[in-house]
């Protein structure tokens, strides 16, 4: 780090005359070093609204000389929104791995063109929890209710394998899905009185059948008992929550040599139901619950930093 690991760095990027970062609305002829050369943390979430609210929270809670009222999105906003607060980027990646993959590629290229160093990625998301009451003692952290925040140690795919399969030129390629152990531990360590657990996160390719739901539009062809069997098998391999991006994030960052963390609030316990039936107020509180944990982590890391030539990390 920070150089993309040689094995996975694209050999042709430096040969491009201008590299168009199409979905961000930026390109390498712009002053990317001036705009992004100091970035150390990239915080991502699915929704553009949350990218903005998180940026405002950072500007309000951290002493970075940025007024929340003056925050404007950088680049184009059709597909996602990106804000910069001091050395922190807050951006949205949309829903699911195909969408997230586009943003991972373009933000990484943007930071490489900018000459940014020692940066790390974090996804702050929402998820469905997989909690068995009374069985959380002895795991790292305790939490059985929705609202518990899960910090991922590893991503699991929908076939319950600890891998990510990518199809390239019609052939499958298998990648590892570990998250950065030190980042996960540091995030866990700043939890204070928040309900936080370290666990594995299942990243599915769908919200309904891909997550074993019975409340989609189609007859799924499986029963409640089949669903519970699947969720219990997921629990037994260490899965504590389910969302839609974990394997892509983990494998991309491992290949690129970028430390990464995944921090998700849980909106419901999937062993008890499928519908996200909580009130708007509850959901707002819970999805924001993952944000304060990351703010605490960022405050600590910034305090450890060396202002003049970047962070001492
Ligand atoms: C969590 O929430 C979204 C689906 O509602 C998806 O992006 C995810 O991973
Ligand atoms: N996001 C998901 O992908 N699944 C859930 O159950 C809740 C949020």
């Amino acid at each position: 780090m920070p150089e993309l690991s040689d094995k996975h760095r694209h050999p042709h990027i430096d040969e491009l005359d201008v590299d168009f970062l199409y979905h961000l609305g930026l390109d390498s002829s712009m002053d990317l070093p001036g705009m992004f050369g100091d970035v150390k943390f990239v915080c991502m979430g699915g929704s553009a609204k949350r990218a903005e609210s998180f940026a405002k929270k950072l500007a309000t809670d951290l002493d970075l000389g940025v007024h929340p009222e003056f925050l404007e999105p950088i680049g184009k906003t059709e597909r996602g929104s990106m804000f910069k607060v001091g050395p922190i980027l807050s951006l949205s990646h949309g829903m699911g791995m195909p969408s997230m993959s586009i943003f991972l590629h373009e933000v990484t290229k943007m930071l490489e063109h900018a000459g940014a160093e020692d940066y790390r990625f974090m996804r702050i998301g929402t998820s469905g929890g997989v909690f068995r009451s009374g069985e959380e003692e002895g795991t790292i952290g305790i939490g059985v209710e929705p609202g518990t925040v899960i910090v991922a140690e590893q991503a699991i795919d929908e076939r319950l394998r600890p891998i990510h399969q990518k199809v390239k030129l019609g052939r499958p390629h298998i990648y590892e899905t570990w998250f950065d152990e030190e980042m996960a531990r540091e995030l866990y360590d700043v939890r204070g009185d928040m309900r936080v657990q370290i666990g594995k996160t299942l990243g599915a390719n769908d919200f309904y059948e891909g997550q074993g739901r019975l409340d989609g539009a189609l007859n799924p062809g499986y029963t409640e008992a089949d669903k519970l069997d699947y969720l219990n098998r997921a629990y037994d391999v260490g899965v504590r929550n389910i969302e839609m991006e974990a394997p892509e994030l983990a494998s991309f960052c491992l290949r690129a040599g970028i430390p990464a963390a995944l921090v998700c609030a849980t909106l419901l316990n999937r062993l008890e139901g499928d519908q996200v039936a909580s009130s708007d107020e509850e959901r707002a509180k819970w999805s924001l619950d993952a944000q304060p944990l990351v703010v605490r982590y960022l405050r600590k890391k910034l305090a450890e930093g060396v202002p003049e030539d970047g962070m001492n990390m």
Side-chain angles (χ1 to χ4, degrees):
M1 276 295 296
E3 284 286 291
L4 293 187
S5 62
D6 285 344
K7 196 170 151 213
H8 293 296
R9 191 185 166 87
H10 191 308
H12 304 305
I13 290 178
D14 295 338
E15 293 162 18
L16 292 173
D17 224 8
V18 178
D19 187 9
F20 291 98
L21 308 171
Y22 167 57
H23 302 85
L24 297 179
L26 302 171
D27 69 64
S28 62
S29 74
M30 298 172 171
D31 179 21
L32 298 180
M35 294 161 79
F36 301 109
D38 64 339
V39 168
K40 299 292 175 196
F41 304 96
V42 179
C43 299
M44 304 171 237
S47 102
K49 236 172 141 180
R50 251 187 287 143
E52 180 167 4
S53 70
F54 188 61
K56 288 199 165 139
K57 186 171 177 58
L58 294 173
T60 308
D61 292 2
L62 302 178
D63 192 15
L64 291 166
V66 180
H67 196 289
E69 293 308 312
F70 298 137
L71 278 170
E72 289 290 338
I74 306 171
K76 72 181 187 190
T77 52
E78 283 104 305
R79 305 293 190 178
S81 288
M82 179 163 66
F83 299 84
K84 185 169 182 297
V85 184
I88 309 168
L89 285 183
S90 175
L91 65 102
S92 60
H93 55 63
M95 284 191 283
M97 297 190 234
S99 179
M100 164 170 256
S101 166
I102 292 171
F103 285 92
L104 289 173
H105 279 278
E106 292 186 13
V107 168
T108 303
K109 290 202 293 171
M110 179 189 90
L111 294 174
E112 289 295 301
H113 289 307
E117 292 185 344
D118 290 333
Y119 51 86
R120 51 198 57 207
F121 286 180
M122 276 170 276
R123 170 170 136 71
I124 309 163
T126 56
S127 62
V130 188
F131 298 124
R132 277 187 205 150
S133 307
E135 285 199 20
E136 301 305 309
E137 308 280 348
T139 60
I140 304 179
I142 297 177
V144 292
E145 292 161 51
T148 302
V149 173
I150 303 294
V151 178
E153 57 183 355
Q154 191 181 29
I156 301 292
D157 78 357
E158 47 199 357
R159 293 169 69 183
L160 305 183
R161 303 175 300 180
I163 55 163
H164 184 44
Q165 176 177 299
K166 267 205 109 84
V167 176
K168 297 191 277 190
L169 306 180
R171 294 225 167 90
H173 296 260
I174 302 290
Y175 295 104
E176 289 192 25
T177 54
W178 290 105
F179 286 100
D180 188 80
E181 199 179 337
E182 192 183 324
M183 278 179 85
R185 171 54 65 179
E186 285 180 318
L187 280 154
Y188 182 72
D189 285 348
V190 295
R191 71 195 177 283
D193 56 3
M194 292 178 65
R195 281 181 290 128
V196 181
Q197 272 193 48
I198 292 183
K200 298 186 199 275
T201 298
L202 194 164
N205 279 306
D206 173 35
F207 184 81
Y208 287 99
E209 293 171 322
Q211 297 187 22
R213 281 189 154 81
L214 290 154
D215 62 346
L218 302 172
N219 179 346
Y222 50 75
T223 64
E224 172 75 16
D226 297 333
K227 172 187 99 175
L228 290 177
D229 174 62
Y230 175 71
L231 293 177
N232 276 303
R233 282 190 287 121
Y235 185 96
D236 288 341
V237 299
V239 169
R240 292 297 176 272
N241 64 334
I242 305 177
E243 46 81 274
M244 295 176 61
E245 290 85 13
E248 182 67 42
L249 175 65
S251 61
F252 180 97
C253 291
L254 271 179
R255 289 175 66 195
I258 301 168
L262 172 60
V263 184
C264 287
T266 50
L267 304 184
L268 73 163
N269 182 357
R270 286 299 317 289
L271 287 168
E272 288 169 4
D274 294 338
Q275 295 253 304
V276 182
S278 42
S279 69
D280 281 354
E281 291 73 34
E282 283 172 322
R283 271 210 302 281
K285 181 179 168 296
W286 290 338
S287 36
L288 290 173
D289 256 354
Q291 291 187 355
L293 185 73
V294 174
V295 172
R296 281 184 203 180
Y297 166 84
L298 290 170
R299 184 179 283 120
K300 179 164 173 281
K301 298 306 285 185
L302 290 167
E304 291 167 3
V306 179
E308 274 186 18
D309 47 3
M311 304 299 179
N312 189 16
M313 293 187 297

